[in-house]
Amino acid sequence: MWRDALSKIVCLDNLSETHFNSSAGSWAIVFLGVQAKTACNPIQLYDDNISDHAPVTLVINPPRQKPTSQQTVAHRIYKSPKFAAFHDAYIKAADLQSLAPIPRWETHKLIIDQVAAVVRNTELAKQDIAENSLVTALGSFARMVLHNNVNSAQYAISRSPLAKRYIQVVNDSVNFVNHSEFEFDFAIAKQRLFTYDITKLKSLLEQGKIRENIAKRKISLLESKSKLWRAGSRRLALD
C-alpha cells in the first residue's frame, strides 16, 4: 500500500529517474501521513463471539511538501560569497568574542541559520527559477516524454505551470506541446547555466579561492559547451 502512495511523488529537481520509475525503499514510509483506526469496537466483537480480531482502516497519504522558503537550505548557499559577506557582518555586529563559550556557540549557530535563510530567500525573490533548477526541470520533462511516464507527467502538469507549458498527456501518451519550442528554450537555459558557472568560477579565481589551472580548465570546458549549445539554439531559431 505504501508503494501506491509513494508512486504519486514526483521529484523534478533530480538528475536520476523520478520516484515513480525508481523503487522507493520502505524507509520512506516514515515521511508519509499514516493514519490507522479500528473500524468497530473489538471488545464488542469478542463479547458477541464474532471474532477476536477487529478490522483496521489504514489511510496513507503522500507527504505535504513544505514551501521552498521553509525547506532545508542548500549547501551551495553556505559556500556563496554573499553568505560570507553577511556572515562576517553579523559576527562583527554581535561581538561574539565578548560572550562566554556556550552562549558564543549558540549565537554563532543562530547567525549561520539566519544568514543562510536570508541569502536563500533573497535568491528566491530575485528570480522565479534558478538556471540550474530550470535545466533540471526541463530535463525531467524530457525523460517523462522519453519513457512515456504518464503518471509523473499528469502529476507534474497538475502542480507546475512550467510542466503544463511544455508537456501534455493525450490518449495515455506523453508528448511535447511544441517540440521545437522546448528544444530552443532548453538550449537557451543550458547556455545561461554555462554563463552563470563561468562567471562564478572567474569570481572565485579573483578571490583566490580556486587554483588558477583548475579554474582555467573548467572555464575552457564550459565555454566549449556553451558554443555548442549556442549553435544548437541558432539552428533551431532558423528552422
Side-chain angles (χ1 to χ4, degrees):
M1 185 178 292
W2 58 268
R3 289 185 182 275
D4 293 335
L6 288 175
S7 69
K8 296 180 175 62
I9 301 175
V10 179
C11 183
L12 296 182
D13 195 5
N14 191 344
L15 296 180
S16 62
E17 298 292 347
T18 64
H19 288 298
F20 180 77
N21 274 347
S22 62
S23 56
S26 57
W27 55 264
I29 193 171
V30 299
F31 296 104
L32 301 175
V34 181
Q35 296 178 334
K37 63 179 181 179
T38 55
C40 55
N41 190 335
I43 298 177
Q44 188 63 47
L45 288 176
Y46 179 80
D47 291 341
D48 293 341
N49 294 321
I50 297 175
S51 174
D52 57 353
H53 293 76
V56 176
T57 302
L58 179 65
V59 180
I60 301 178
N61 294 310
R64 293 183 179 180
Q65 185 177 7
K66 292 182 179 180
T68 309
S69 60
Q70 297 178 15
Q71 294 179 11
T72 304
V73 178
H75 289 290
R76 63 178 180 81
I77 295 294
Y78 295 95
K79 298 179 181 179
S80 66
K82 186 174 293 185
F83 174 86
F86 273 98
H87 173 269
D88 294 346
Y90 273 69
I91 292 295
K92 184 177 180 180
D95 192 16
L96 291 184
Q97 298 303 321
S98 64
L99 302 177
I102 294 180
R104 181 169 66 244
W105 176 82
E106 292 176 340
T107 304
H108 192 191
K109 185 175 183 297
L110 179 63
I111 288 174
I112 291 174
D113 292 341
Q114 292 297 320
V115 169
V118 168
V119 175
R120 189 266 313 279
N121 294 340
T122 300
E123 284 193 2
L124 292 175
K126 184 174 62 177
Q127 53 187 358
D128 293 333
I129 184 167
E131 287 84 356
N132 58 335
S133 298
L134 178 58
V135 169
T136 305
L138 294 178
S140 295
F141 301 154
R143 288 194 299 275
M144 291 176 190
V145 174
L146 176 64
H147 299 295
N148 197 37
N149 209 326
V150 176
N151 284 29
S152 296
Q154 288 176 334
Y155 184 84
I157 291 170
S158 68
R159 298 290 297 272
S160 168
L162 191 66
K164 190 175 182 179
R165 173 182 174 182
Y166 289 111
I167 60 175
Q168 60 185 350
V169 178
V170 180
N171 297 328
D172 291 330
S173 179
V174 186
N175 302 298
F176 291 111
V177 174
N178 187 315
H179 196 181
S180 297
E181 179 184 356
F182 176 85
E183 285 191 336
F184 180 79
D185 289 351
F186 194 30
I188 294 297
K190 289 286 288 188
Q191 187 179 331
R192 288 177 178 172
L193 179 58
F194 291 140
T195 302
Y196 171 81
D197 289 339
I198 290 171
T199 303
K200 184 178 179 181
L201 284 170
K202 289 181 177 179
S203 176
L204 292 175
L205 181 60
E206 291 176 357
Q207 298 172 34
K209 294 184 177 181
I210 187 173
R211 292 170 58 182
E212 183 176 357
N213 61 330
I214 295 177
K216 287 184 176 180
R217 185 170 68 249
K218 290 184 175 181
I219 290 173
S220 177
L221 179 61
L222 289 170
E223 287 177 342
S224 298
K225 290 182 177 180
S226 181
K227 289 179 181 178
L228 291 174
W229 282 95
R230 188 182 305 118
S233 63
R234 287 176 179 173
R235 177 184 60 79
L236 291 167
L238 294 173
D239 287 348

